[in-house]
Amino acid sequence: MALFTKCATVLVGLLTLSDITMSESLATMRPRAEAAGRERVSLNDRWRFQRFVDNPDGLSYDILKPWILPAANDYLSGTRYDRPSEPGPGSNVTFVQPGFDDAAWEAVNLPHDWAASGEFDFSEDVSGGTGRLPFTGIGWYRKSLSIDARVVDSGKSIFLDVDGAMAYATAWLNGQLVGGWPYPYNSFRLDLTPYAKAGDNVLAIRVDNAPESARWYPGAGLYRSLNLVTADPVHVGYHGSYITTPTVSAEQASVSLRIEVENKGNLTQTVQVTSEIFELDSKSRKASGDAVAKIAASTATVSGGSKYSVNGSTTITNPKLWGPAPKQTPNEYIAMTTISSNGTVLDTYETPFGIRTVEYDPNQGILINGEHVPVYGSCNHHDLGSLGSAFNYRAAERQIEILQEMGNNALRTSHNPPAPEWLEIADRLGLMVMDEIFDTWNYAKVENDFHLLFPEWSEADLRTFIRRDRNHPSIISWSIGNELPEQSNSTGTATAKRLQDIVHEEDLTRHVTVGMNNAGPNTGLAAEIDIIGLNYQGEGKGSASSGSFAAFHSKFPNKMIWSTESASTVSSRGVYVFPVTSNKSAIVGGGPGEGGDPINSHVSAYELYAPSWAASPDKVFEQQDRNPYVAGEFVWTGWDYIGEPTPYDNSSRSSYFGIIDLAGFKKDRFYLYQSRWRPDFPHVHILPHWTWPDREGQVTPVHVFTSGDEAELFINGKSAGRQKRGQYDYRLRWDNVTYTPGEISVKAWKNGEEWATSSHRTVGAAAALNVTADRTTIHGDGKDLSFVSVAVVDEKGDTVPQADNEITFSIASGPGEIVTTDNGDPTDPTAFPSKTRKAFNGLALAIIRAEAGSTGEIVVEAKADGVSAGKVTITAS
Ligand SMILES: *[C@@H]1O[C@H](CO)[C@@H](O)[C@H](O)[C@H]1NC(C)=O
Ligand SMILES: *[C@@H]1O[C@H](CO)[C@@H](O)[C@H](O)[C@H]1NC(C)=O
Ligand SMILES: *[C@@H]1O[C@H](CO)[C@@H](O)[C@H](O)[C@H]1NC(C)=O
Ligand SMILES: *[C@@H]1O[C@H](CO)[C@@H](O)[C@H](O)[C@H]1NC(C)=O
Ligand SMILES: *[C@@H]1O[C@H](CO)[C@@H](O)[C@H](O)[C@H]1NC(C)=O
Ligand SMILES: *[C@@H]1O[C@H](CO)[C@@H](O)[C@H](O)[C@H]1NC(C)=O
Ligand SMILES: *[C@@H]1O[C@H](CO)[C@@H](O)[C@H](O)[C@H]1NC(C)=O
Ligand SMILES: *[C@@H]1O[C@H](CO)[C@@H](O)[C@H](O)[C@H]1NC(C)=O
Ligand SMILES: *[C@@H]1O[C@H](CO)[C@@H](O)[C@H](O)[C@H]1NC(C)=O
């Protein structure tokens, strides 16, 4: 069975090498929803791609702009841009022409990030800021699509929906310029109807990534999903539904639904719009059971080429509320809207949503459904570690699941809109989201960043962002920006007012925030913004003992305050540098007690060290506890990410900020946050490891993180003392322990009751590779992933804490492939797709995918010289 499947897949693979079969037939593709009139098919598979370091086509945004800007019209309150009457540029570029032979280009599937599989550039003059991967250049993508004559003949509208493209995406169909959208993190729709024909069509997309266009690793290319939507000319517009729940109680919720009917035809049409509401099955994402409410028909008379919004409302009795896990349950509903004309269904449209209330209390913080929920949040960039920025549902879900295990209940999409599926995961798993749109406004952070687009595009980008995302119950706040250079002056205040007013026009149900790292209580920005969002300054930067929470609170007693960005503690998993500072928080450096190891470019995982603007978790916790009106924090960062390897930008390629490393292994800090964020979960964590052949007789501090309130440390069975946590202590520390080999163990208590125990013993030589998979059954859809971890263990099975054996991964049998490998080491120069990777402090990771359409067992093997190999079996189903 498995063999047969594999042959079939290979055959398909061979066929894709010919031009003819790189096409999709709309008639044969399965629609996502069995919606009357509307068909939505994925365009993710079977593209041809080529990257050019130097511009191959003479095109640029300046040349293309007059044809691209009209895409903003739907989102502008004032200015309108007319499309020039002449056909757009680019028609003479061979890549857009249907006859161009692209057989020599790379065959790729989307989502695709061309840079993540590249070599790291460790040249001396290159900074690690954007991750040392080759993201710059011009990328061309081509795909042929076959459009059924019936679609064209019946006058249907044909749209290209792009979830995001990095960057300055511009599309041509059959050699004609359609349009584009420059901001790489927003989703957009292009109308292909005027350019489409029955039969074979060729779609070509150009993306353009300038040097100095990002502060972190952006990824490159068609890094999110593309879909083709065909619909009756009269249909629900793009992101054309808006649901709110104006009143909510345990007995009853009112639901208001606005539907924007778009008429792409030439004649005025009168249609009926009705909606039914169902509970949403969170797994299948489908309506379940009978309708729980109905919105009676509204009639819309829509003239050709225009839009008309109808409003309806209904009530749901005994609503199942959406609320953040784990205390509340993230129940969801779905509205199914039908547009019909004289009984004929023209379109159906689905809007998943949730029923909940959010209050922003200046003295307590966030209340969801009336219950106070402290914000235990993290900021995260959009990359998915070794997979780069190409969106993958399972990789994103895994990131969020591991954060949730820590007690993380909130996420900030720093500093840009996420993939749409990412918000679906947040809704389903019950996280609160701060959805953020911009990192820059009028002024540059790097030469070619969004400030170049801001004057013409900020309104359109902001409105389309809100319209895409506003039905997600997970979103509790909109962030309009981060650490803007103009935050403290009148330009910043005026811009904040303009942007916040736009948000309020699009969605009045959520408060707006902005990340202020310098703007103080006397700035116009602080006075203007709904929620005071503080980056670092609230808890006090660096070694300052206290920060500005109190000053903001007394100046703005009616505004909620939260730390939009906190901590920025840096560490390398499993690295411990001696001596250890006796302070609660210290600025990282290369001197004694400063936590840095500049020779090896690592930072101590005692989790006490941070750059000059930042602080340890302990210090942040203390300032929050001293200022209990603060709603909570979004830690910088939950996960390590590619780029920004502060403090070793000159020698590394990925960050040290993560609580979780780039591969997904937990740093010690994970357990410090878990202690605070899951106080009822019994656990105790002890650091460092206890295998120090070179440290016999030397002081080797032992720190303990526990959700208990008291602990006793034992060294080789002998008590080293029992300690109770003081009011502003978040760890227990035995700083004078002298290392002797053997075992350290800890017993924790809470309220006098035994609570948890943990230990480390001195391990022997590396003997074997212990291989485990996060999931041993995955979908054979070519997308789902299993994350396979390898621990280098001694003969008793304990991880050898400093092992760096070179491990080679292989698929011993079955329809699987190794996508990438990683180990969480920010300095590792080995390219992500390499099948060989050194363990970093005892651990390495391989990411496994089953071939599309396959079933059967996949045996993943890991080998290294001098130790026994290990393997794990994954079943594709
Ligand atoms: C395409 O036409 C434009 C405008 O006439 C011209 O500037 C450009 O050089 C041409 N490009 C190519 C590749 O022939
Ligand atoms: C609208 O009219 C124009 C001009 O007559 C025509 O080209 C186009 O196909 C018509 N569109 C539809 C949807 O009927
Ligand atoms: C529906 O509500 C929107 C926003 O309040 C309004 O602009 C629109 O005119 C309303 N439509 C109808 C038909 O009342
Ligand atoms: C619907 O019915 C009305 C009245 O019977 C008629 O005038 C109209 O043309 C019909 N509309 C469509 C789209 O068939
Ligand atoms: C505001 O700050 C920006 C960034 O520092 C600066 O370029 C600009 O000139 C300032 N504007 C005013 C009005 O001070
Ligand atoms: C620890 O704190 C003291 C007192 O603030 C300071 O003098 C010292 O430099 C700090 N040490 C480190 C390593 O930051
Ligand atoms: C990194 O390199 C730059 C440019 O060569 C230099 O200015 C800077 O001091 C270096 N930083 C460190 C931490 O070595
Ligand atoms: C550690 O030893 C130093 C010097 O002997 C002493 O001052 C300090 O109190 C000791 N600390 C603890 C926590 O025992
Ligand atoms: C070794 O693998 C077993 C089985 O998969 C797992 O339970 C155990 O935790 C692993 N040990 C280490 C040190 O990773």
Side-chain angles (χ1 to χ4, degrees), residues 268-272 340-344 346:
T268 299
Q269 295 272 349
T270 298
V271 295
Q272 287 74 46
S340 54
S341 167
N342 293 351
T344 302
L346 302 180

Side-chain angles (χ1 to χ4, degrees), residues 5 20 148 152 306 364 427 503 505 580 644 815 829 832 865:
T5 310
I20 300 160
D148 197 299
V152 176
S306 75
Q364 293 182 76
D427 289 345
V503 177
E505 282 171 30
V580 176
E644 289 196 330
F832 287 133
D865 288 346

Side-chain angles (χ1 to χ4, degrees), residues 19 47 108-109 189 341 364 378-379 385 387 397 422 495 512 592 702 728 761 768 795 807-808 811 857 861 866 873:
D19 232 356
W47 288 76
V108 300
N109 290 338
R189 163 172 282 186
S341 167
Q364 293 182 76
S378 63
C379 302
L387 299 168
E397 181 184 56
W422 188 94
T495 306
V512 180
V702 175
Y728 298 117
R761 63 172 192 84
E795 60 181 12
I807 298 169
T808 300
I811 302 293
E857 293 193 340
E861 199 162 47
T873 301

